[in-house]
Amino acid sequence: MEDLIISVLKRALIAGTPLLLGTLGEITAERSGILNLGVEGMMSLGAISGFMVTFATGNPYLGLAVSVLAGAAFSLIHSFVSVTLKANQVVSGLALTMTGLGVSGMLGKSYIGRPLSVKMMPVELPLLHRIPFAGEVLFSQDIYFYLSIILGVILWFVLRHTKAGIAVRSVGENPKAAESQGIRVSAVRYACVAVGGAFAGMAGSHISIAYSKSWIEGITVGRGWIVIALTIFAMWNPLRAFYGAFLFGGIFVLQYILQPLGISPNLLAMLPYVTTLGILVLYGIGRDAQRRMHAPAMLGEAYHKDER
Amino acid sequence: MKKITGLEMAGISKSFGEVSANRNISLSVSSGEVLGLLGENGAGKTTLMNILYGLYRPDKGTIRINGNPVAIRSPRDSIRAGIGMIHQHFMLVQNHTVLENLILGYDQAPMVLPHRYMRVRVAEFEKKYGIHIDPDKQVWELSAGEQQKVEILKALLREADLLIMDEPTSVLTPQEADDLYRVIRRMKDEGHSVILISHKLDEIMSICTRVTVLRKGETVGQAEVSAVDKAELARMMIGREVMFSFKKTPREPGDVVLEVRDLHVISDRNVPAVRGVSFSIHKNEIFGIAGVSGNGQREMVEAITGLRKAKSGDIVLEGSSIVNESARVVNSRGVTHVPEERIKFGIVPNLLIYENAVLKQHTMSPFSRVMFLDYDSIRDHAMELVDRFQVSAPSIHVPTKNLSGGNIQKLIIAREIHRKPALLVASHPTYGLDVGATEYIRSQLLIRRDEGGAVLLVSEDLEELFEVCDRIAVMFKGQIMGILSPGDRDIEDIGLMMTGSIGTDTPKEQGE
């Protein structure tokens, strides 16, 4: 029994890792006022680029690094369209998703059915992994997991306790006020979107080189969309993203546990998405006034500098 | 060591699209001087100062500091040069604390954990200038006067030698304004220079040393304040002799039209905004609501007009309750509404003038038959309104957003008043309008009153309230602090009521 619990918890954390990474990225972008619905596309591109590099070099760490760069680079399209050209962010984000899915599908064609010979292996942290139970669940994970936790805490600290964080939040709340204090609004937004892309790329490569080790088209199966919902669930707070992401990781794992009970796997596969809808509905009821106070006030609004 | 001893703007021009906001404007200011920048709304004062502060770039012209030409491309440049600006609409992040607002863009603060450092600096400046604000409060919790102090503190922290203030007293109570004048005099004595944007002649006369007058984007005059009088400045500013010329005839108030009893309303932020307000308005009466905005006026108006649910209390119109009825029902019972933010809530900017002229009545005969609009009668009606209410428009077939603010407001007034409503609710109806339009709109309110209508007028402009109202209630933190008649005319009392220092007939509850 204890083995089962350990295994379930451990797998929930693994399944939650890409969700956490993606959510941290989206929080960064949205805090600066840019809504990026391209997470699914950036994740996909991160997944294929990480997979290709790992396949070619046999080094998953190199795969990870490249996926981060690929996500960040790809997200520049969104910054250019929505920050520089001030086009509609929803449309631009959707385009990014479709482009990312399309390009990664095309790049991945020849890799279908050819699994990696190496994948990202778990790293047991010295000493810590010997702690009973917790050691097995928390400290025998792969590097993605450790990074997601560390980066989450760093992001929280930066947003809350540094000048840069105050600048980012101010740009999302009131870009005109930020600019009047000498902050370069566009530069901040570009940077935040790029960080968001880097996180999404990293989340993608987790799926392709740590979670599974083969490529199939549409490997992200809507996780990018769950990330968008989790960002709201987390109220744009990196620490709250932890609960949400690992809760959803648990729901992914639940599918496999419930399957032997004779419930249709197709129904079970719907679980994370149904839960997403459920959470958004719950959030919409009653508490909307409080919730709105947490959303960056200028989320999704382009900033027109020379206008009155 | 002063960074700015003299500043000069020469030949500045700026246009937005086809609208030319500044044409070849020049001005200068040197240290120890308070320069008044006088002009009506739309004269180009704010545009000119936004150029100086680097928010806009001029199409033409040069700026010289201490005789040397400088390029100011962004606020970053102007802050570095020693210029600070306090905008009319404060440049503060509402959901952040005072401290976070002060840290934003402040170079000396450390990158990591800047809060502690800033707290110390703020304490120093508080002592030096006698400005007290709780640094951990969120900005939205502060009154307008307190927010302005945050802005001043922001500029002082950045060691601004030249401070631009854009209509700084427009949101202040008379007492807060006196405080501000003290700060300005103190800065002048310390050798700072101040540019004060204003359209209030008294303010210019009492605090400024020199004045530059703008009209329609051009400089029309410059003078030492000691060498001119108010009448002369008014003539320069408006370009003609102007005197408000209504005759307000005394009227006996008639029957009660609206009665509000112990009204409580919750705001968007889920906190009580209106806390037990009661009053009644009679026929032949204009009832004014004074107070600094944000004290529940908006929520109260929305509750009366059916746009917001009341938590408790009753609103009775001509004997029957309209509380928590829909806006449409309230409207059909004879309550019309001239909303604040006219562009956002008063019209649909992209619809044509004749379409906007029948909004809210478009489902009624004769504008609508069965389920189709009768455009002939709509257009005839719009023509009539435009003629009768002196809306100057190229034709009724243009998008309403093309009209000037004053003409948009005239169109709204026309739409709301021509049906002779039992109650007309007008929120800040002349805010931001030029003298001509203001005059016209006030006279329309008075005409409605003399015809037997009841008018609820919410305004921050005390002059306006004294001019047209029969009774004035002062609102503070969701309560009525007292009801005065313009005969009392005690402006100091009104000021104290606006800050909650005194209340006449409402017992004060404990604040939250």
Side-chain angles (χ1 to χ4, degrees), chain A residues 157 160-163 166-167 169-170 173-174 176-184 289-290 306-308, chain B residues 14 47 53 56 75-76 91-93 95-96 100 103-104 106-107 109-111 113-115 154 158 268:
Chain A
F157 182 84
R160 206 179 163 93
H161 293 291
T162 69
K163 248 163 77 171
I166 290 172
R169 287 188 281 130
S170 299
E173 289 282 343
N174 187 345
K176 191 130 210 168
E179 176 162 33
S180 78
Q181 292 314 302
I183 304 292
R184 281 184 289 255
Q290 279 129 300
D306 210 21
E307 200 174 78
R308 37 180 187 180
Chain B
K14 171 76 182 172
T47 303
Y53 191 58
Y56 300 148
R76 189 174 266 281
M91 294 284 184
L92 296 170
V93 181
N95 286 331
H96 286 182
E100 285 175 326
I103 292 166
L104 180 64
Y106 187 55
D107 286 336
M111 295 304 289
L113 295 173
H115 297 73
K154 221 157 78 173
R158 282 165 180 69
D268 284 342

Side-chain angles (χ1 to χ4, degrees), chain A residues 4-15 133 137 141 253:
Chain A
L4 179 70
I5 294 173
I6 287 178
S7 138
V8 167
L9 285 179
K10 192 167 176 182
R11 279 160 60 193
L13 294 185
I14 295 173
F133 195 78
V137 175
Q141 295 275 12
V253 174

Side-chain angles (χ1 to χ4, degrees), chain B residues 94-391:
Chain B
Q94 295 286 322
N95 286 331
H96 286 182
T97 62
V98 170
L99 213 51
E100 285 175 326
N101 271 285
L102 294 173
I103 292 166
L104 180 64
Y106 187 55
D107 286 336
Q108 280 102 301
M111 295 304 289
V112 178
L113 295 173
H115 297 73
R116 201 176 321 157
Y117 169 87
M118 208 62 192
R119 215 177 279 281
V120 176
R121 290 303 308 269
V122 169
E124 281 169 23
F125 270 81
E126 280 192 357
K127 214 180 276 170
K128 191 164 154 199
Y129 287 90
I131 302 174
H132 294 289
I133 319 155
D134 179 354
D136 294 309
K137 270 205 173 158
Q138 300 218 312
V139 170
W140 63 266
E141 298 175 279
L142 304 179
S143 73
E146 290 172 307
Q147 295 194 22
Q148 189 175 61
K149 286 180 183 165
V150 179
E151 287 280 29
I152 293 174
L153 205 52
K154 221 157 78 173
L156 293 175
L157 278 165
R158 282 165 180 69
E159 288 157 9
D161 288 330
L162 169 67
L163 196 60
I164 306 163
M165 297 191 178
D166 191 353
E167 306 209 358
T169 55
S170 62
V171 294
L172 302 185
T173 63
Q175 282 82 6
E176 287 176 318
D178 286 342
D179 279 352
L180 176 72
Y181 295 146
R182 262 194 291 281
V183 174
I184 293 177
R185 291 207 180 90
R186 173 153 200 171
M187 294 175 62
K188 183 172 84 174
D189 294 343
E190 289 187 359
H192 290 78
S193 22
V194 175
I195 299 181
L196 184 76
I197 303 182
S198 183
H199 57 208
K200 294 183 189 162
L201 294 169
D202 290 324
E203 187 166 289
I204 299 273
M205 296 301 291
S206 75
I207 189 104
C208 297
T209 46
R210 234 156 31 87
V211 58
T212 293
V213 186
L214 299 189
R215 188 170 74 228
K216 292 184 177 154
E218 289 177 273
T219 320
V220 289
Q222 307 209 30
E224 295 288 328
V225 166
S226 50
V228 286
D229 61 14
K230 265 168 74 174
E232 217 174 320
L233 285 180
R235 209 173 311 115
M236 278 198 246
M237 172 164 94
I238 296 153
R240 64 182 163 95
E241 295 292 338
V242 75
M243 273 299 116
F244 288 103
S245 55
F246 336 105
K247 281 165 258 66
K248 196 171 112 188
T249 44
R251 287 269 167 186
E252 270 307 298
D255 303 339
V256 172
V257 175
L258 179 85
E259 190 170 1
V260 175
R261 287 190 212 125
D262 195 27
L263 183 70
H264 287 259
V265 188
I266 304 292
S267 79
D268 284 342
R269 295 193 187 272
N270 232 339
V271 294
V274 178
R275 306 187 298 152
V277 162
S278 305
F279 60 86
S280 52
I281 310 180
H282 303 78
K283 284 193 168 165
N284 296 107
E285 186 178 48
I286 298 183
F287 187 78
I289 301 283
V292 177
S293 62
N295 277 297
Q297 298 97 319
R298 174 195 286 248
E299 287 81 2
M300 183 184 79
V301 162
E302 287 176 349
I304 291 173
T305 52
L307 294 169
R308 182 184 289 273
K309 292 265 177 272
K311 190 178 144 226
S312 64
D314 207 358
I315 302 169
V316 180
L317 182 76
E318 296 183 319
S320 57
S321 173
I322 53 165
V323 73
N324 290 342
E325 293 286 359
S326 73
R328 175 178 290 248
V329 169
V330 171
N331 185 254
S332 67
R333 295 268 186 89
V335 177
T336 62
H337 183 199
V338 178
E340 63 183 302
E341 296 197 60
R342 60 187 78 98
I343 311 269
K344 218 162 150 190
F345 301 115
I347 56 162
V348 184
N350 288 319
L351 290 192
L352 308 181
I353 289 177
Y354 63 81
E355 292 170 312
N356 271 299
V358 295
L359 278 188
K360 294 199 272 193
Q361 306 148 52
H362 56 281
T363 57
M364 302 174 196
S365 164
F367 308 124
S368 165
R369 260 179 285 177
V370 196
M371 53 179 296
F372 297 99
L373 293 174
D374 181 345
Y375 273 106
D376 285 337
S377 69
I378 289 175
R379 279 188 284 260
D380 287 348
H381 177 69
M383 280 304 280
E384 194 203 314
L385 287 187
V386 165
D387 282 350
R388 211 173 98 204
F389 290 85
Q390 306 172 12
V391 182

Side-chain angles (χ1 to χ4, degrees), chain A residues 45-46 49 62-76 194 197-199 201-202:
Chain A
L45 214 72
S49 58
L62 205 57
L64 189 166
V66 169
S67 71
V68 167
L69 296 177
F74 189 52
S75 73
L76 287 178
F199 270 112
M202 185 169 164

Side-chain angles (χ1 to χ4, degrees), chain B residues 472-485:
Chain B
I472 301 167
V474 184
M475 257 182 111
F476 175 71
K477 291 207 170 156
Q479 295 181 318
I480 289 185
M481 305 308 291
I483 298 181
L484 310 161
S485 63

